[in-house]
Amino acid sequence: MANLPILQFEDQIIETVERNPVVVIIGETGSGKSTQLSQMLHRRGYTKSGIVGVTQPRRVAAVSVARRVAQELGVQLGYEVGYAIRFEDRTSERTRIKYLTDGVLLRESLSDPELNQYSVIILDEAHERSLNTDILLGLMKRLVTLHASSLKVLITSATLDGEKVSKFFSNCPILNVPGKLYPVEILYSNERPTSYVESSLKTALDIHIREPEGDVLIFMTGQDDIEKLVSKLEDRVRSLDEGSCMDAIILPLHGSLPPEMQVRVFSPPPHNCRRFIVSTNIAETSLTVDGVVYVIDSGYVKQRQYNPTTGMYSLDVVQISKVQANQRAGRAGRTRPGKCYRLYPSILYHDDFLDVTVPEIQRSSLTGSVLYLKSLDLSDMDILKFDFLDPPSTESLEDALKQLYLIDAIDENGSITSIGRTMAELPLEPSLSRTLMEANERGCLSQALSVAAMLSAETTLLPGRSKGNEKKRKHTPLDLPDGSGLGDHIQLLQIYEHWDRNNYDIGWCKDHDLQVRGMLFVKDVRKQLSQIMQKIAKGSLDVRANGRWKESEMAYQKLRKALCIGYANQLAERMIHHNGYRTLSFKPQLVQVHPSSVLRPDDEGKLPDYVVYHELIATSRPYLRNVCAVEIDWVKPILNKVKKININKLSGGTGHIGEETKEKLSDLPKKEINVDGVPDDHESRIQAARERFRARKGKK
DNA sequence: GAGCACTGC
């Protein structure tokens, strides 16, 4: 550890921190910033007056970095050095250095807005610009400027973002700390390939034949392309002349791969064997693969974006930013000098790539964040004027206000209600928080807790859709409950209740093809939610999962009513002549129930007249995912409320965006703030992909 | 009759 580059800068860093409330540190990979900054501050006495808190965007990072620091200081983890993540607080009264996820710090600041227990907050990896980091940046600015606070704030970022962060904090100093990366030679293509799967294949084979040993990391956009490339690579490598080059192992790597498949990339390859790791951007930051010397970068990433006008998410393939391209290239230089093959021309990189990734706050629904900020009760707080590093669009903020109004979290003047206050205490999206509260009133809380917990883990419940899996699924699994014709929420409830009746048996999950890890997560979430609800209700509630299941018919009715109130912002009406739906809480969109839904047409071939939905997402078409049938009588009052919405009043009477914010908005290149802003060439790319898909189907 | 990148409380 002694030769980490950052240690030579200790005096300079401490002096700068001494004289300034906020300091930006640009530290490249391998600089040691995540482990050393906290220890430096500790050595220089900053842990005497309070805790040094270091935030991380990811749980694993918080845990592993804390573990290393404890080791370096020779203390037991959980004492002087600890960490706090959801479900796991390993800190004690003795803790002086605390690693935590930024989500946990936000939660802490709900009960302690001044963050009094901290002397220093280090926002690590701020260049990743997670939604939570962006909220924290705004809160930190407020803390250091509004109060005569002695809090010190350090922000670590990437080269391309440092100036901007410094400007945000009234031109605070920027310190550069060199990294410990080996040089990476960048090689560009002359033009964009028509198919980057083919182009990656060719490049990978070239490397395999011509270049000395070293693993190859290939960045693709998604599971489909990864599987395609993996099988093509296997074919081609097999057909190479025996003995003409070394052996090869080809490994896919993406999030929906079961954990035991993911960890395969951590075991070193056999001697004289090259590994090809075909990955999504999970290998960009979340997972570090050792032994990589060559990187192939398609220049694309799959990104989720939200359109506040339609309330619709879409999953699009978009061009990466310069920061991402550099991050990918850096993966080749961790163990020795490497090479990065960019499958795009250098002029494209320089002239067309955005400097930094569009921050999540400009690509997400802000309902949860706005409720959080409202609940902080900052006296000087006007949500439309909140000082964001990159402000979200007015449409997006207004959309959040409208939705919060529909679910009773704020009143018609935009003030937080007592319902809203309680909702903010629950670690759930607002619609589910509202559902729990309503369920509590109606005597179906235990059922609602199960549904909310199941929805929190939904994507990790069902197994991946790899070919082997599909075959297995047809034979073995036992039937899951069907939601009794009432939809997916009821099915999720039934699944959880079955599991409960089977004493949370792991074998039961396997028999029903449910991911064990996902189901255990659900159980944890449910427990956490139950505890919070007990505390809120200040009395004992019946939160047992399966209290009196003979009365389930009644409970379903009550639960659906509670869901209808909770999802008043996500309501849809069936079309008269077919089974398509029209959304009611936004500019109306024609949408369909996702084919994976358990909702089925009745004897007359019709779906329910009204449904609430958990998610609206456009893939090949706009789909409602996870729907629940609701009754017209419940819907009417909501529609009246929709009609009454007055955005001017909701946004605090002015109806105008604050002058400061307006200036900032005009500073930004349009591309960055346009939520629909998928550049044309991507649109045509996606269009082309769809046509290829149709053509392929035609052949079948 | 489709198939979703990655995080987090």
Side-chain angles (χ1 to χ4, degrees), chain A residues 259-273:
Chain A
E260 66 272 17
M261 292 284 281
Q262 284 188 22
V263 297
R264 288 204 298 169
V265 301
F266 296 121
S267 45
H271 182 63
N272 201 28
C273 182

mmCIF file with all atom_site columns, all heavy atoms in Angstrom, chain A residues 259-273:
data_model
loop_
_atom_site.group_PDB
_atom_site.id
_atom_site.type_symbol
_atom_site.label_atom_id
_atom_site.label_alt_id
_atom_site.label_comp_id
_atom_site.label_asym_id
_atom_site.label_entity_id
_atom_site.label_seq_id
_atom_site.pdbx_PDB_ins_code
_atom_site.Cartn_x
_atom_site.Cartn_y
_atom_site.Cartn_z
_atom_site.occupancy
_atom_site.B_iso_or_equiv
_atom_site.pdbx_formal_charge
_atom_site.auth_seq_id
_atom_site.auth_comp_id
_atom_site.auth_asym_id
_atom_site.auth_atom_id
_atom_site.pdbx_PDB_model_num
ATOM 1   N N   . PRO A 1 259 ? -25.527 -16.013 -10.338 1.00 0.00 ? 259 PRO A N   1
ATOM 2   C CA  . PRO A 1 259 ? -24.266 -15.628 -9.693  1.00 0.00 ? 259 PRO A CA  1
ATOM 3   C C   . PRO A 1 259 ? -23.136 -16.635 -9.919  1.00 0.00 ? 259 PRO A C   1
ATOM 4   O O   . PRO A 1 259 ? -21.980 -16.229 -10.122 1.00 0.00 ? 259 PRO A O   1
ATOM 5   C CB  . PRO A 1 259 ? -24.623 -15.569 -8.212  1.00 0.00 ? 259 PRO A CB  1
ATOM 6   C CG  . PRO A 1 259 ? -26.093 -15.424 -8.165  1.00 0.00 ? 259 PRO A CG  1
ATOM 7   C CD  . PRO A 1 259 ? -26.663 -15.990 -9.407  1.00 0.00 ? 259 PRO A CD  1
ATOM 8   N N   . GLU A 1 260 ? -23.459 -17.925 -9.909  1.00 0.00 ? 260 GLU A N   1
ATOM 9   C CA  . GLU A 1 260 ? -22.381 -18.915 -10.070 1.00 0.00 ? 260 GLU A CA  1
ATOM 10  C C   . GLU A 1 260 ? -21.755 -18.835 -11.465 1.00 0.00 ? 260 GLU A C   1
ATOM 11  O O   . GLU A 1 260 ? -20.586 -19.162 -11.653 1.00 0.00 ? 260 GLU A O   1
ATOM 12  C CB  . GLU A 1 260 ? -22.881 -20.329 -9.757  1.00 0.00 ? 260 GLU A CB  1
ATOM 13  C CG  . GLU A 1 260 ? -23.931 -20.915 -10.686 1.00 0.00 ? 260 GLU A CG  1
ATOM 14  C CD  . GLU A 1 260 ? -25.362 -20.548 -10.258 1.00 0.00 ? 260 GLU A CD  1
ATOM 15  O OE1 . GLU A 1 260 ? -25.505 -19.594 -9.463  1.00 0.00 ? 260 GLU A OE1 1
ATOM 16  O OE2 . GLU A 1 260 ? -26.316 -21.191 -10.730 1.00 0.00 ? 260 GLU A OE2 1
ATOM 17  N N   . MET A 1 261 ? -22.525 -18.341 -12.445 1.00 0.00 ? 261 MET A N   1
ATOM 18  C CA  . MET A 1 261 ? -21.958 -18.147 -13.778 1.00 0.00 ? 261 MET A CA  1
ATOM 19  C C   . MET A 1 261 ? -21.142 -16.857 -13.814 1.00 0.00 ? 261 MET A C   1
ATOM 20  O O   . MET A 1 261 ? -20.144 -16.754 -14.529 1.00 0.00 ? 261 MET A O   1
ATOM 21  C CB  . MET A 1 261 ? -23.086 -18.059 -14.818 1.00 0.00 ? 261 MET A CB  1
ATOM 22  C CG  . MET A 1 261 ? -23.842 -19.345 -15.037 1.00 0.00 ? 261 MET A CG  1
ATOM 23  S SD  . MET A 1 261 ? -22.906 -20.514 -16.040 1.00 0.00 ? 261 MET A SD  1
ATOM 24  C CE  . MET A 1 261 ? -23.210 -19.846 -17.679 1.00 0.00 ? 261 MET A CE  1
ATOM 25  N N   . GLN A 1 262 ? -21.590 -15.852 -13.056 1.00 0.00 ? 262 GLN A N   1
ATOM 26  C CA  . GLN A 1 262 ? -20.862 -14.583 -13.042 1.00 0.00 ? 262 GLN A CA  1
ATOM 27  C C   . GLN A 1 262 ? -19.471 -14.729 -12.439 1.00 0.00 ? 262 GLN A C   1
ATOM 28  O O   . GLN A 1 262 ? -18.519 -14.142 -12.931 1.00 0.00 ? 262 GLN A O   1
ATOM 29  C CB  . GLN A 1 262 ? -21.646 -13.527 -12.261 1.00 0.00 ? 262 GLN A CB  1
ATOM 30  C CG  . GLN A 1 262 ? -22.829 -12.971 -13.026 1.00 0.00 ? 262 GLN A CG  1
ATOM 31  C CD  . GLN A 1 262 ? -23.472 -11.797 -12.316 1.00 0.00 ? 262 GLN A CD  1
ATOM 32  O OE1 . GLN A 1 262 ? -22.857 -11.132 -11.483 1.00 0.00 ? 262 GLN A OE1 1
ATOM 33  N NE2 . GLN A 1 262 ? -24.723 -11.528 -12.654 1.00 0.00 ? 262 GLN A NE2 1
ATOM 34  N N   . VAL A 1 263 ? -19.360 -15.523 -11.375 1.00 0.00 ? 263 VAL A N   1
ATOM 35  C CA  . VAL A 1 263 ? -18.066 -15.608 -10.699 1.00 0.00 ? 263 VAL A CA  1
ATOM 36  C C   . VAL A 1 263 ? -17.030 -16.398 -11.502 1.00 0.00 ? 263 VAL A C   1
ATOM 37  O O   . VAL A 1 263 ? -15.854 -16.372 -11.179 1.00 0.00 ? 263 VAL A O   1
ATOM 38  C CB  . VAL A 1 263 ? -18.183 -16.226 -9.279  1.00 0.00 ? 263 VAL A CB  1
ATOM 39  C CG1 . VAL A 1 263 ? -19.031 -15.348 -8.379  1.00 0.00 ? 263 VAL A CG1 1
ATOM 40  C CG2 . VAL A 1 263 ? -18.745 -17.638 -9.334  1.00 0.00 ? 263 VAL A CG2 1
ATOM 41  N N   . ARG A 1 264 ? -17.479 -17.062 -12.568 1.00 0.00 ? 264 ARG A N   1
ATOM 42  C CA  . ARG A 1 264 ? -16.504 -17.786 -13.399 1.00 0.00 ? 264 ARG A CA  1
ATOM 43  C C   . ARG A 1 264 ? -15.417 -16.858 -13.933 1.00 0.00 ? 264 ARG A C   1
ATOM 44  O O   . ARG A 1 264 ? -14.292 -17.292 -14.158 1.00 0.00 ? 264 ARG A O   1
ATOM 45  C CB  . ARG A 1 264 ? -17.217 -18.469 -14.572 1.00 0.00 ? 264 ARG A CB  1
ATOM 46  C CG  . ARG A 1 264 ? -18.044 -19.675 -14.165 1.00 0.00 ? 264 ARG A CG  1
ATOM 47  C CD  . ARG A 1 264 ? -18.233 -20.627 -15.322 1.00 0.00 ? 264 ARG A CD  1
ATOM 48  N NE  . ARG A 1 264 ? -18.961 -19.970 -16.407 1.00 0.00 ? 264 ARG A NE  1
ATOM 49  C CZ  . ARG A 1 264 ? -19.094 -20.477 -17.635 1.00 0.00 ? 264 ARG A CZ  1
ATOM 50  N NH1 . ARG A 1 264 ? -18.551 -21.647 -17.934 1.00 0.00 ? 264 ARG A NH1 1
ATOM 51  N NH2 . ARG A 1 264 ? -19.768 -19.845 -18.569 1.00 0.00 ? 264 ARG A NH2 1
ATOM 52  N N   . VAL A 1 265 ? -15.762 -15.583 -14.126 1.00 0.00 ? 265 VAL A N   1
ATOM 53  C CA  . VAL A 1 265 ? -14.757 -14.673 -14.680 1.00 0.00 ? 265 VAL A CA  1
ATOM 54  C C   . VAL A 1 265 ? -13.654 -14.350 -13.666 1.00 0.00 ? 265 VAL A C   1
ATOM 55  O O   . VAL A 1 265 ? -12.640 -13.771 -14.027 1.00 0.00 ? 265 VAL A O   1
ATOM 56  C CB  . VAL A 1 265 ? -15.375 -13.341 -15.173 1.00 0.00 ? 265 VAL A CB  1
ATOM 57  C CG1 . VAL A 1 265 ? -16.420 -13.596 -16.232 1.00 0.00 ? 265 VAL A CG1 1
ATOM 58  C CG2 . VAL A 1 265 ? -15.963 -12.547 -14.019 1.00 0.00 ? 265 VAL A CG2 1
ATOM 59  N N   . PHE A 1 266 ? -13.854 -14.721 -12.417 1.00 0.00 ? 266 PHE A N   1
ATOM 60  C CA  . PHE A 1 266 ? -12.822 -14.435 -11.415 1.00 0.00 ? 266 PHE A CA  1
ATOM 61  C C   . PHE A 1 266 ? -11.795 -15.550 -11.265 1.00 0.00 ? 266 PHE A C   1
ATOM 62  O O   . PHE A 1 266 ? -10.752 -15.349 -10.669 1.00 0.00 ? 266 PHE A O   1
ATOM 63  C CB  . PHE A 1 266 ? -13.462 -14.146 -10.059 1.00 0.00 ? 266 PHE A CB  1
ATOM 64  C CG  . PHE A 1 266 ? -14.301 -12.907 -10.075 1.00 0.00 ? 266 PHE A CG  1
ATOM 65  C CD1 . PHE A 1 266 ? -15.646 -12.950 -9.750  1.00 0.00 ? 266 PHE A CD1 1
ATOM 66  C CD2 . PHE A 1 266 ? -13.745 -11.684 -10.442 1.00 0.00 ? 266 PHE A CD2 1
ATOM 67  C CE1 . PHE A 1 266 ? -16.426 -11.800 -9.790  1.00 0.00 ? 266 PHE A CE1 1
ATOM 68  C CE2 . PHE A 1 266 ? -14.520 -10.527 -10.480 1.00 0.00 ? 266 PHE A CE2 1
ATOM 69  C CZ  . PHE A 1 266 ? -15.867 -10.594 -10.153 1.00 0.00 ? 266 PHE A CZ  1
ATOM 70  N N   . SER A 1 267 ? -12.102 -16.733 -11.782 1.00 0.00 ? 267 SER A N   1
ATOM 71  C CA  . SER A 1 267 ? -11.087 -17.788 -11.696 1.00 0.00 ? 267 SER A CA  1
ATOM 72  C C   . SER A 1 267 ? -10.138 -17.665 -12.883 1.00 0.00 ? 267 SER A C   1
ATOM 73  O O   . SER A 1 267 ? -10.560 -17.503 -14.024 1.00 0.00 ? 267 SER A O   1
ATOM 74  C CB  . SER A 1 267 ? -11.753 -19.169 -11.665 1.00 0.00 ? 267 SER A CB  1
ATOM 75  O OG  . SER A 1 267 ? -12.756 -19.248 -12.641 1.00 0.00 ? 267 SER A OG  1
ATOM 76  N N   . PRO A 1 268 ? -8.824  -17.696 -12.592 1.00 0.00 ? 268 PRO A N   1
ATOM 77  C CA  . PRO A 1 268 ? -7.834  -17.471 -13.647 1.00 0.00 ? 268 PRO A CA  1
ATOM 78  C C   . PRO A 1 268 ? -7.876  -18.600 -14.690 1.00 0.00 ? 268 PRO A C   1
ATOM 79  O O   . PRO A 1 268 ? -8.258  -19.718 -14.367 1.00 0.00 ? 268 PRO A O   1
ATOM 80  C CB  . PRO A 1 268 ? -6.505  -17.477 -12.886 1.00 0.00 ? 268 PRO A CB  1
ATOM 81  C CG  . PRO A 1 268 ? -6.780  -18.167 -11.599 1.00 0.00 ? 268 PRO A CG  1
ATOM 82  C CD  . PRO A 1 268 ? -8.218  -17.958 -11.288 1.00 0.00 ? 268 PRO A CD  1
ATOM 83  N N   . PRO A 1 269 ? -7.495  -18.269 -15.930 1.00 0.00 ? 269 PRO A N   1
ATOM 84  C CA  . PRO A 1 269 ? -7.544  -19.273 -16.998 1.00 0.00 ? 269 PRO A CA  1
ATOM 85  C C   . PRO A 1 269 ? -6.415  -20.290 -16.838 1.00 0.00 ? 269 PRO A C   1
ATOM 86  O O   . PRO A 1 269 ? -5.408  -19.999 -16.209 1.00 0.00 ? 269 PRO A O   1
ATOM 87  C CB  . PRO A 1 269 ? -7.323  -18.437 -18.248 1.00 0.00 ? 269 PRO A CB  1
ATOM 88  C CG  . PRO A 1 269 ? -6.538  -17.256 -17.789 1.00 0.00 ? 269 PRO A CG  1
ATOM 89  C CD  . PRO A 1 269 ? -6.956  -16.996 -16.375 1.00 0.00 ? 269 PRO A CD  1
ATOM 90  N N   . PRO A 1 270 ? -6.587  -21.487 -17.392 1.00 0.00 ? 270 PRO A N   1
ATOM 91  C CA  . PRO A 1 270 ? -5.493  -22.452 -17.403 1.00 0.00 ? 270 PRO A CA  1
ATOM 92  C C   . PRO A 1 270 ? -4.303  -21.881 -18.194 1.00 0.00 ? 270 PRO A C   1
ATOM 93  O O   . PRO A 1 270 ? -4.464  -20.937 -18.970 1.00 0.00 ? 270 PRO A O   1
ATOM 94  C CB  . PRO A 1 270 ? -6.075  -23.657 -18.133 1.00 0.00 ? 270 PRO A CB  1
ATOM 95  C CG  . PRO A 1 270 ? -7.505  -23.360 -18.418 1.00 0.00 ? 270 PRO A CG  1
ATOM 96  C CD  . PRO A 1 270 ? -7.792  -21.951 -18.082 1.00 0.00 ? 270 PRO A CD  1
ATOM 97  N N   . HIS A 1 271 ? -3.148  -22.471 -17.992 1.00 0.00 ? 271 HIS A N   1
ATOM 98  C CA  . HIS A 1 271 ? -1.941  -22.002 -18.671 1.00 0.00 ? 271 HIS A CA  1
ATOM 99  C C   . HIS A 1 271 ? -2.113  -22.072 -20.194 1.00 0.00 ? 271 HIS A C   1
ATOM 100 O O   . HIS A 1 271 ? -2.745  -22.983 -20.715 1.00 0.00 ? 271 HIS A O   1
ATOM 101 C CB  . HIS A 1 271 ? -0.757  -22.878 -18.235 1.00 0.00 ? 271 HIS A CB  1
ATOM 102 C CG  . HIS A 1 271 ? 0.527   -22.431 -18.842 1.00 0.00 ? 271 HIS A CG  1
ATOM 103 N ND1 . HIS A 1 271 ? 1.068   -21.178 -18.580 1.00 0.00 ? 271 HIS A ND1 1
ATOM 104 C CD2 . HIS A 1 271 ? 1.363   -23.055 -19.708 1.00 0.00 ? 271 HIS A CD2 1
ATOM 105 C CE1 . HIS A 1 271 ? 2.190   -21.069 -19.262 1.00 0.00 ? 271 HIS A CE1 1
ATOM 106 N NE2 . HIS A 1 271 ? 2.390   -22.176 -19.953 1.00 0.00 ? 271 HIS A NE2 1
ATOM 107 N N   . ASN A 1 272 ? -1.537  -21.089 -20.872 1.00 0.00 ? 272 ASN A N   1
ATOM 108 C CA  . ASN A 1 272 ? -1.565  -21.053 -22.328 1.00 0.00 ? 272 ASN A CA  1
ATOM 109 C C   . ASN A 1 272 ? -2.987  -21.065 -22.891 1.00 0.00 ? 272 ASN A C   1
ATOM 110 O O   . ASN A 1 272 ? -3.305  -21.784 -23.844 1.00 0.00 ? 272 ASN A O   1
ATOM 111 C CB  . ASN A 1 272 ? -0.769  -22.231 -22.898 1.00 0.00 ? 272 ASN A CB  1
ATOM 112 C CG  . ASN A 1 272 ? -0.347  -21.937 -24.326 1.00 0.00 ? 272 ASN A CG  1
ATOM 113 O OD1 . ASN A 1 272 ? -0.181  -20.768 -24.708 1.00 0.00 ? 272 ASN A OD1 1
ATOM 114 N ND2 . ASN A 1 272 ? -0.199  -22.991 -25.127 1.00 0.00 ? 272 ASN A ND2 1
ATOM 115 N N   . CYS A 1 273 ? -3.821  -20.276 -22.270 1.00 0.00 ? 273 CYS A N   1
ATOM 116 C CA  . CYS A 1 273 ? -5.215  -20.228 -22.710 1.00 0.00 ? 273 CYS A CA  1
ATOM 117 C C   . CYS A 1 273 ? -5.693  -18.782 -22.611 1.00 0.00 ? 273 CYS A C   1
ATOM 118 O O   . CYS A 1 273 ? -5.466  -18.108 -21.600 1.00 0.00 ? 273 CYS A O   1
ATOM 119 C CB  . CYS A 1 273 ? -6.054  -21.128 -21.807 1.00 0.00 ? 273 CYS A CB  1
ATOM 120 S SG  . CYS A 1 273 ? -7.774  -21.191 -22.308 1.00 0.00 ? 273 CYS A SG  1
#
